[in-house]
Amino acid sequence: MKFSFHIGAHCTDDEQLLRSLLKNAGLLAQEGVCVPGPSRYRGILADALNKLNGEKADLDTQEMLIEHFVDLENADRIIFGHENFLGAPFRAFEGGMLYPLAERNAQRLRNLFPMHQVEFFMGMRDIATLIPSLAAKVPEDRLAQLLNGVDPRQLYWSDTLYAMREATPDCPITVWCNEDTPLVWPEILREVAGLDPHVRLQGGLDVLHQIMAKEGMQRLKAYLDTHPIHNEIQRRRVLAAFLDKFALDEEVNEEVTLPGWTEDLMEELSQTYDEDMREIKSISGVSLISV
């Protein structure tokens, strides 16, 4: 059995990946892929993780968990998703690091199914917008804990991925940039589900729906209906062209109101983010889906 863990990150997904995959439950079932609803597994996985406390699950525990989640005779893969797999949002920058619990939590997730193949999937986000978005997300009484001692210039996704790779060297990791998600969404869905590129899934435009004007979506769908798309590069170019013309400003341009944050700082962080992506491309066992 293969296990796909979509581990976040916060402020990159808002459960859309699971919703899009659940639209394809019938097709995925034919491919041997189980997508249980979140309410069906999150509590059970949390209980199992707490009980094991980092130890490897024995055969009986693994079989019990699989039996609970699998309702297909030919099941080959199970998909789980939760942004808090990386840790609670208010602990995202604890100790001045980006998701310092990722190393421990990845190992604990891997140890749930030590006799099976485990893969991790994660969306990343420019630190320049991640910190303000998380600050708006956490309860007010947790804001000080989130931001305490944080130097945004010292937060790197590559550090998080290196730590995860060291903790779980046999688990491939697939990542993508939240800024690219609207253009690579179908590929993300297929990768998480372990499907071949030729498999067509519903929901390939779900993310675009959230950031594009209604008129633009109507025109895009009409264009796709009348103009065959022959490859992934062509499809991305078409989507990018429509997004450039019909994107909703309030969805793609965020106003940052954190004290002391300037445009110069934002630009510096975004440049560092781009450099960090180049570093990530060189990490063994990590695949970056990019435009």
Side-chain angles (χ1 to χ4, degrees):
M1 186 75 69
K2 301 181 182 69
F3 292 86
S4 293
F5 282 99
H6 176 222
I7 57 176
H10 297 104
C11 303
T12 65
D13 177 70
D14 294 328
E15 305 280 336
Q16 185 58 61
L17 188 140
L18 288 177
R19 290 196 297 271
S20 294
L21 288 174
L22 285 168
K23 288 182 178 181
N24 298 273
L27 184 151
L28 292 173
Q30 295 176 20
E31 299 287 338
V33 180
C34 295
V35 191
S39 62
R40 185 175 168 187
Y41 63 81
R42 288 183 178 170
I44 293 175
L45 289 186
D47 290 343
L49 288 166
N50 289 333
K51 182 178 180 180
L52 290 169
N53 195 30
E55 298 298 318
K56 293 183 178 180
D58 58 28
L59 180 60
D60 288 343
T61 299
Q62 294 176 70
E63 290 182 347
M64 181 272 293
L65 290 171
I66 292 173
E67 182 178 350
H68 181 84
F69 301 128
V70 173
D71 49 16
L72 303 175
E73 292 185 3
N74 64 331
D76 179 62
R77 181 182 295 268
I78 305 175
I79 299 173
F80 298 125
H82 195 357
E83 62 182 6
N84 284 354
F85 279 147
L86 285 172
F90 58 84
R91 302 188 68 180
F93 315 125
E94 201 167 71
M97 297 177 61
L98 180 59
Y99 288 110
L101 297 181
E103 179 178 4
R104 184 202 72 177
N105 290 2
Q107 189 171 54
R108 290 185 172 189
L109 290 172
R110 202 280 167 269
N111 286 346
L112 278 175
F113 304 102
M115 298 180 66
H116 301 271
Q117 180 178 334
V118 170
E119 302 175 34
F120 295 113
F121 299 86
M122 182 175 68
M124 304 172 292
R125 182 168 179 163
D126 189 344
I127 302 300
T129 63
L130 175 65
I131 293 179
S133 295
L134 263 179
K137 181 184 182 74
V138 302
E140 188 173 347
D141 61 347
R142 292 288 195 178
L143 185 58
Q145 183 176 356
L146 172 71
L147 300 177
N148 182 43
V150 175
D151 180 355
R153 298 177 180 86
Q154 300 302 317
L155 300 177
Y156 299 97
W157 289 105
S158 55
D159 289 345
T160 304
L161 293 171
Y162 276 124
M164 290 178 61
R165 286 296 295 158
E166 184 173 351
T168 58
D170 64 332
C171 299
I173 305 174
T174 300
V175 296
W176 55 90
C177 297
N178 188 59
E179 298 78 14
D180 295 337
T181 299
L183 305 182
V184 298
W185 190 240
E187 186 175 351
I188 292 171
L189 296 177
R190 289 194 299 268
E191 287 292 328
V192 173
L195 301 178
D196 293 331
H198 71 272
V199 178
R200 298 194 63 179
L201 297 173
Q202 297 182 49
L205 300 178
D206 283 349
V207 177
L208 276 176
H209 267 288
Q210 301 169 16
I211 61 174
M212 187 182 289
K214 184 177 180 180
E215 178 190 359
M217 286 304 305
Q218 292 173 341
R219 292 192 180 188
L220 172 60
K221 290 178 180 179
Y223 182 91
L224 294 175
D225 288 340
T226 55
H227 295 75
I229 301 298
H230 300 291
N231 55 59
E232 190 67 20
I233 294 176
Q234 181 187 7
R235 187 191 66 82
R236 291 176 184 176
R237 286 175 177 169
V238 170
L239 299 187
F242 276 85
L243 186 59
D244 183 60
K245 186 174 182 179
F246 294 105
L248 297 170
D249 287 341
E250 65 271 20
E251 296 295 336
V252 297
N253 297 313
E254 300 182 63
E255 182 179 354
V256 176
T257 57
L258 286 179
W261 279 53
T262 64
E263 289 189 11
D264 287 343
L265 174 61
M266 298 280 287
E267 184 175 344
E268 179 185 349
L269 294 177
S270 294
Q271 183 176 344
T272 301
Y273 178 61
D274 291 339
E275 295 170 355
D276 201 25
M277 292 307 105
R278 289 192 284 273
E279 174 70 18
I280 286 171
K281 289 180 180 179
S282 70
I283 302 177
S284 176
V286 176
S287 299
L288 173 63
I289 300 175
S290 57
V291 295

